[in-house]
């Protein structure tokens, strides 16, 4: 429930009849649409921060303790994804109850079969691994109007169905918010005022196998 109530910030660019420069509207929206889609930016470099606006010392002071090197980077990181295999090597926590309590001795036809402890343990471990939904992280370039510019974004593993038999897929159930700085301009083109403001950026933190 907490996930569906999480709010994310979409930064929308609006144009006032071509008279005033595009401005940003910060609007909370349901986080059912994660990861955040790419923003449609005005390509005019007039609305980009200048070199003096990108002074690292000043921006670090503005973002303060919200700077998280685990999820953000000032310079371009190695754009490498974690593979599904990397995510599945170590399963988190104890085996889920719905898997651990499965009755493998009952068949669909009402007959019962004998399953040894070792075979049962191996099958349940395989089933847990197969239905596990890891978060696959990818470095994403948000552009010069965000600082830090690079974010480690989460996606749910989607290379195959997560259910046996097939039919279900991995979907996001939880997200965390990270604070970034956003270059914000308002006013007319020749009389605009621009500054850095803090915005929340939601990142998928947990996925589950669901319909």
């Amino acid at each position: 429930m907490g996930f569906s109530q999480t709010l994310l910030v979409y930064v929308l660019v609006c144009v006032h009849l071509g008279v005033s420069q595009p401005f940003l509207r910060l609007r909370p929206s349901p986080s059912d649409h994660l990861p955040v889609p790419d923003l449609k930016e005005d390509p005019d470099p007039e609305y980009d921060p200048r070199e003096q606006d990108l002074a690292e010392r000043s921006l670090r002071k503005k973002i303060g303790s919200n700077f998280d090197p685990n999820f953000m980077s000032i310079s371009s990181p190695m754009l490498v994804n974690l593979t599904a295999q990397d995510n599945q090597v170590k399963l988190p926590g104890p085996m889920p109850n719905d898997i651990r309590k499965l009755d493998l001795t009952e068949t669909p036809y009402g007959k019962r079969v004998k399953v040894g402890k070792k075979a049962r343990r191996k099958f349940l471990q395989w089933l847990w691994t197969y239905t596990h939904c890891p978060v696959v992280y990818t470095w994403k370039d948000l552009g010069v109007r965000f600082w830090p510019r690079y974010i480690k974004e989460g996606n749910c593993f989607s290379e195959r169905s997560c259910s046996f038999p097939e039919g279900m897929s991995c979907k996001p159930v939880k997200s965390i918010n990270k604070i970034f700085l956003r270059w914000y301009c308002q006013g007319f083109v020749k009389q605009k005022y621009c500054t850095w403001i803090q915005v929340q950026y939601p990142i998928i933190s947990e996925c589950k196998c669901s319909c």
Side-chain angles (χ1 to χ4, degrees):
M1 293 298 291
F3 173 75
S4 62
Q5 296 171 348
T6 304
L7 298 180
L8 67 85
V9 175
Y10 277 123
V11 184
L12 303 178
V13 179
C14 304
V15 181
H16 270 260
L17 302 178
V19 177
S20 63
Q21 69 108 53
F23 68 93
L24 303 174
R25 181 186 302 160
L26 303 182
R27 185 187 69 184
S29 302
S31 62
D32 299 332
H33 306 290
L34 292 181
V36 177
D38 293 338
L39 299 173
K40 293 183 178 180
E41 299 273 24
D42 189 315
D44 190 344
E46 180 72 21
Y47 307 118
D48 291 345
R50 299 163 298 176
E51 185 176 352
Q52 58 265 39
D53 299 315
L54 294 169
E56 182 178 337
R57 180 178 296 182
S58 175
L59 293 177
R60 279 189 176 272
K61 187 176 181 180
K62 284 181 181 293
I63 200 170
S65 60
N66 293 311
F67 183 85
D68 186 348
N70 293 317
F71 285 93
M72 52 187 71
S73 177
I74 299 170
S75 57
S76 178
M78 291 182 63
L79 302 180
V80 177
N81 296 359
L82 291 176
T83 65
Q85 183 178 2
D86 292 334
N87 281 275
Q88 290 182 342
V89 167
K90 186 177 181 180
L91 297 171
M95 182 179 293
N97 285 333
D98 55 347
I99 294 179
R100 184 169 53 84
K101 293 182 178 181
L102 277 177
D103 185 358
L104 303 181
T105 63
E106 186 176 351
T107 68
Y109 309 105
K111 294 183 179 181
R112 304 189 75 84
V113 295
K114 186 176 181 180
V115 180
K117 289 184 178 180
K118 186 176 181 180
R120 171 185 167 82
R121 184 172 64 253
K122 285 187 174 182
F123 178 79
L124 292 183
Q125 185 68 30
W126 171 84
L127 186 63
W128 183 20
T129 302
Y130 190 87
T131 58
H132 175 56
C133 287
V135 179
V136 182
Y137 290 100
T138 308
W139 282 104
K140 180 179 180 179
D141 184 356
L142 296 177
V144 72
R145 295 173 190 174
F146 279 89
W147 197 92
R149 177 169 177 165
Y150 300 92
I151 182 173
K152 191 166 72 172
E153 194 171 58
N155 289 270
C156 295
F157 175 65
S158 59
E159 292 182 10
R160 59 165 174 77
S161 173
C162 57
S163 62
F164 183 78
E166 296 185 355
M168 300 171 73
S169 58
C170 294
K171 296 182 179 179
V173 291
K174 287 185 181 180
S175 64
I176 56 175
N177 287 325
K178 294 298 176 181
I179 302 295
F180 282 75
L181 298 180
R182 169 69 175 175
W183 187 244
Y184 172 78
C185 295
Q186 59 181 352
F188 295 99
V189 175
K190 294 184 179 181
Q191 296 179 336
K192 68 180 184 297
Y193 169 75
C194 300
T195 188
W196 290 102
I197 61 173
Q198 290 189 354
V199 294
Q200 293 188 33
Y201 196 105
I203 301 171
I204 295 172
S205 60
E206 184 178 338
C207 303
K208 282 190 177 180
C209 191
S210 61
C211 298

